[in-house]
């Protein structure tokens, strides 16, 4: 049995014991780093784009692009520190980095609702992706989202719900319960308001809303109880339920979600899809473990997940069917995967290994080929809920990748130019 198989077996063994799992992981990494001869700070063509001004800079999640349509401006969140709390109450500053002017920092707004994994969900608003930015905030005692026009440099609209994902055409967004999410998964929700559902294992309350960005109207789509009643599993009885990772498909007609529940400390996850009105639910994958996903197109979803017969790998699945096939079997550790804008390539990453080194990989479907683009060291103070995942994302032209990394001591944004020569002809797919 090789090291990776031993590590994966250990993870599965400790799945129901989160405190023991964290302790074991820390001790394992300390020993691995201490005795490793492979001590690096970084490796690969990394170009830093955020300034060295004493602050930390990062973008957030992997399924969005920090670049505008012209690949000139990059969104970033500027904060004092990100290693003490997964959802600090101290305000951050939303900024643009002007790559045409030596990465000049342009302030957009202060933000009062953010976390270390996904920032404030700031993203360019479609359909043009160059005029307006939408981001989450906490104002007048409630969570909200803000549309900011960068040409006029002023707020265009304040919406009554925070956003999680936005339709490509900019018509609507989906929202979820960020307070319950923060309590059950620190680093992904917000800490401004207490969780009003704290004493309820499976609330008969809304967990997903639809927000019309033009009219500001809010529609309740699904309740926690709706999901628990949909194809129920025996492990759901007496379990704590939550919802995370909403992703709208390219045409806006369906979305995916991760329905998670915890019983006796053990986490169960299934991937469910629904139409834009929360109807026509489909249980796409339900073998205990589902992690990061991405819509390849309107029919297919790429995800790192578990299949009972073949284990934990990347799989490309066809929505509303049980059709799937495995990709890149050599990459059998979890990562944040996304397709290039032209859908010919995939970028993904790894979590820090026992030597505290995380990697970025470029992949192509044909031939199941992959190549490592970069490696970075992850300092020990960035760990567990306050870890810095690389979250690789594409620029609009599909020739650069952006990551967050702490290998120089603080969170910062880095760009990796795409090396066409080492992956081959991207038109092969």
């Amino acid at each position: 049995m090789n090291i990776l198989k031993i590590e994966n077996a250990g993870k599965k063994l400790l799945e129901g014991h989160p405190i023991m799992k964290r302790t074991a992981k820390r001790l394992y990494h300390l020993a691995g780093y201490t005795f490793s001869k492979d001590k690096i700070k970084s490796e690969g063509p990394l170009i830093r784009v955020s300034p060295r001004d004493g602050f930390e800079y990062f973008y957030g999640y992997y399924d969005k692009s920090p670049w505008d349509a012209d690949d000139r401006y990059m969104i970033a969140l500027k904060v004092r520190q990100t290693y003490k709390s997964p959802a600090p109450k101290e305000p951050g500053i939303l900024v643009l980095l002007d790559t045409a002017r030596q990465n000049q920092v342009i302030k957009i707004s202060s933000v009062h609702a953010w976390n270390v994994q996904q920032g404030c969900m700031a993203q360019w608003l479609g359909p043009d992706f160059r005029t307006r930015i939408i981001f989450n905030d906490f104002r007048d005692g409630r969570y909200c989202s803000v549309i900011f026009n960068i040409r006029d440099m002023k707020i265009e609209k304040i919406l009554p719900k925070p956003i999680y994902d936005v339709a490509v055409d900019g018509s609507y967004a989906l929202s979820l319960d960020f307070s319950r999410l923060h309590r059950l998964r620190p680093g992904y929700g917000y800490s401004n308001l207490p969780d009003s559902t704290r004493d309820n294992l499976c609330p008969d309350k809304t967990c997903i809303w639809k927000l019309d960005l033009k009219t500001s109207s809010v529609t309740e789509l699904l309740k926690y109880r709706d999901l628990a009643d949909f194809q129920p599993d025996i492990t759901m009885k007496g379990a704590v339920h939550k919802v995370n990772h909403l992703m709208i498909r390219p045409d806006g007609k369906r979305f995916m979600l991760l329905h998670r529940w915890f019983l006796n400390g053990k986490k169960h996850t299934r991937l469910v899809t629904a139409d834009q009105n929360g109807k026509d639910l489909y249980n796409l994958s339900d073998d205990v473990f589902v992690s990061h996903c991405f819509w390849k197109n309107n029919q297919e979803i790429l995800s790192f997940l578990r299949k009972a017969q073949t284990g934990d790998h990347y799989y490309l699945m066809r929505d509303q069917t049980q059709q799937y096939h495995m990709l890149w079997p050599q990459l059998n550790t979890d990562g944040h995967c996304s397709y290039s804008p032209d859908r010919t390539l995939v970028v993904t990453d790894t979590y820090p290994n026992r030597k505290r080194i995380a990697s970025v990989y470029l992949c192509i479907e044909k031939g199941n080929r992959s190549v490592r683009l970069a490696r970075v060291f992850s300092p020990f103070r960035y760990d567990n809920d306050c870890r810095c995942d690389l979250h690789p994302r594409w620029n609009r032209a599909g020739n650069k990748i952006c990551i967050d990394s702490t290998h120089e001591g603080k969170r910062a944004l880095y760009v990796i130019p795409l090396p066409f020569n080492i992956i081959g002809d991207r038109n092969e797919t």
Side-chain angles (χ1 to χ4, degrees):
M1 182 177 286
N2 63 31
I3 288 292
L4 188 55
K5 288 184 178 180
I6 294 173
E7 290 176 351
N8 288 336
K11 289 176 185 177
K12 290 180 181 179
L13 182 65
L14 296 174
E15 277 181 351
H17 308 279
I19 296 177
M20 290 177 59
K21 183 178 178 180
R22 289 187 179 192
T23 303
K25 173 189 166 187
R26 172 53 68 95
L27 292 174
Y28 182 59
H29 281 195
L30 280 169
Y33 176 74
T34 300
F35 295 105
S36 172
K37 296 180 181 179
D38 189 18
K39 290 184 173 69
I40 65 165
K41 180 177 285 188
S42 68
E43 182 180 273
L46 294 164
I47 302 171
R48 181 169 175 145
V49 292
S50 56
R52 304 175 190 274
D53 58 3
F55 286 86
E56 299 201 65
Y57 290 81
F58 69 108
Y59 176 62
Y61 223 36
Y62 69 97
D63 61 325
K64 303 165 180 64
S65 177
W67 279 277
D68 70 334
D70 301 315
D71 284 334
R72 173 175 175 176
Y73 296 104
M74 297 179 69
I75 298 172
L77 191 61
K78 173 182 177 180
V79 297
R80 291 192 181 278
Q81 62 82 17
T82 61
Y83 50 85
K84 292 182 179 179
S85 169
K89 287 185 169 62
E90 181 179 347
I93 302 174
L94 187 65
V95 302
L96 293 180
L97 303 176
D98 186 349
T99 64
R101 295 185 176 179
Q102 291 77 49
N103 302 323
Q104 175 187 355
V105 178
I106 303 169
K107 180 179 177 180
I108 298 297
S109 174
S110 296
V111 292
H112 301 80
W114 60 279
N115 57 59
V116 299
Q117 293 301 324
Q118 299 175 330
C120 58
M121 285 295 185
Q123 55 198 280
W124 295 94
L125 190 58
D128 70 336
F129 300 102
R130 60 165 54 90
T131 307
R132 298 177 298 165
I133 292 171
I134 187 169
F135 62 92
N136 289 341
D137 206 352
F138 185 76
R139 302 184 180 207
D140 300 323
R142 62 184 178 91
Y143 297 125
C144 62
S145 52
V146 179
I147 296 178
F148 188 91
N149 190 306
I150 68 162
R151 288 185 177 172
D152 300 331
M153 291 302 289
K154 67 179 183 180
I155 293 174
E156 192 172 287
K157 183 183 289 188
I158 298 178
L159 298 153
K161 281 283 183 186
I163 53 100
Y164 194 97
D165 197 24
V166 181
V168 173
D169 65 2
S171 60
Y172 76 93
L174 295 177
S175 182
L176 50 66
D177 185 346
F178 282 95
S179 292
R180 186 176 179 88
L181 182 58
H182 169 69
R183 180 173 67 85
L184 296 175
R185 190 67 170 99
Y188 292 81
Y190 305 132
S191 61
N192 307 69
L193 295 174
D195 175 16
S196 62
T197 67
R198 185 180 189 90
D199 298 324
N200 200 323
L201 299 178
C202 185
D204 191 26
K205 293 186 177 181
T206 306
C207 59
I208 301 176
W209 294 262
K210 183 179 181 180
L211 174 62
D212 189 304
L213 299 187
K214 294 181 175 61
T215 67
S216 300
S217 63
V218 178
T219 305
E220 297 178 353
L221 295 190
L222 288 165
K223 297 181 178 180
Y224 295 99
R225 177 50 56 190
D226 295 332
L227 291 169
D229 289 341
F230 170 63
Q231 297 183 14
D233 183 286
I234 191 171
T235 60
M236 294 181 189
K237 187 176 182 180
V240 178
H241 293 252
K242 76 178 180 71
V243 174
N244 200 2
H245 300 311
L246 313 177
M247 290 186 184
I248 303 169
R249 82 181 193 184
D251 68 0
K253 293 182 179 180
R254 289 184 70 80
F255 67 93
M256 71 171 100
L257 64 96
L258 293 188
H259 174 208
R260 284 180 167 153
W261 59 99
F262 303 82
L263 183 64
N264 299 323
K266 186 172 182 179
K267 180 171 69 175
H268 300 255
T269 307
R270 63 178 176 177
L271 174 59
V272 176
T273 64
D275 69 23
Q276 63 175 306
N277 298 311
K279 308 298 183 183
D280 193 20
L281 297 180
Y282 189 83
N283 186 359
L284 189 59
S285 191
D286 193 6
D287 284 333
V288 180
F289 172 75
V290 183
S291 192
H292 307 99
C293 306
F294 194 86
W295 287 99
K296 179 182 180 181
N297 48 47
N298 292 327
Q299 290 79 40
E300 295 174 295
I301 294 173
L302 176 66
S303 177
F304 191 88
L305 50 81
R306 181 173 302 159
K307 290 296 183 183
Q309 300 301 316
T310 48
D312 298 1
H313 293 282
Y314 286 102
Y315 295 92
L316 187 63
M317 300 168 288
R318 193 166 189 85
D319 189 20
Q320 296 182 284
T321 76
Q322 290 301 298
Q323 300 174 27
Y324 66 88
H325 65 273
M326 185 195 300
L327 291 171
W328 316 298
Q330 70 275 21
L331 297 181
N332 53 0
T333 59
D334 194 6
H336 304 86
C337 54
S338 64
Y339 276 89
S340 58
D342 64 3
R343 285 350 193 219
T344 62
L345 300 173
V346 169
V347 66
T348 192
D349 61 353
T350 68
Y351 290 103
N353 61 17
R354 63 188 180 280
K355 303 172 186 178
R356 298 295 297 172
I357 296 173
S359 300
V360 180
Y361 285 89
L362 192 64
C363 311
I364 190 167
E365 285 185 38
K366 188 173 182 179
N368 270 332
R369 290 183 291 148
S370 64
V371 61
R372 189 171 64 199
L373 296 181
R375 298 195 300 163
V376 294
F377 174 71
S378 179
F380 280 95
R381 73 176 178 180
Y382 294 95
D383 202 5
N384 294 317
D385 292 337
C386 293
R387 70 190 182 278
C388 181
D389 296 342
L390 303 185
H391 291 156
R393 320 116 187 151
W394 293 91
N395 70 337
R396 306 291 174 173
N399 58 13
K400 294 178 183 177
I401 292 158
C402 170
I403 65 169
D404 302 328
S405 179
T406 55
H407 64 271
E408 293 188 291
K410 291 180 179 290
R411 275 182 214 253
L413 266 73
Y414 299 85
V415 168
I416 305 171
L418 191 69
F420 288 94
N421 61 314
I422 61 174
I423 195 63
D425 185 359
R426 65 192 301 158
N427 296 320
E428 289 183 45
T429 55

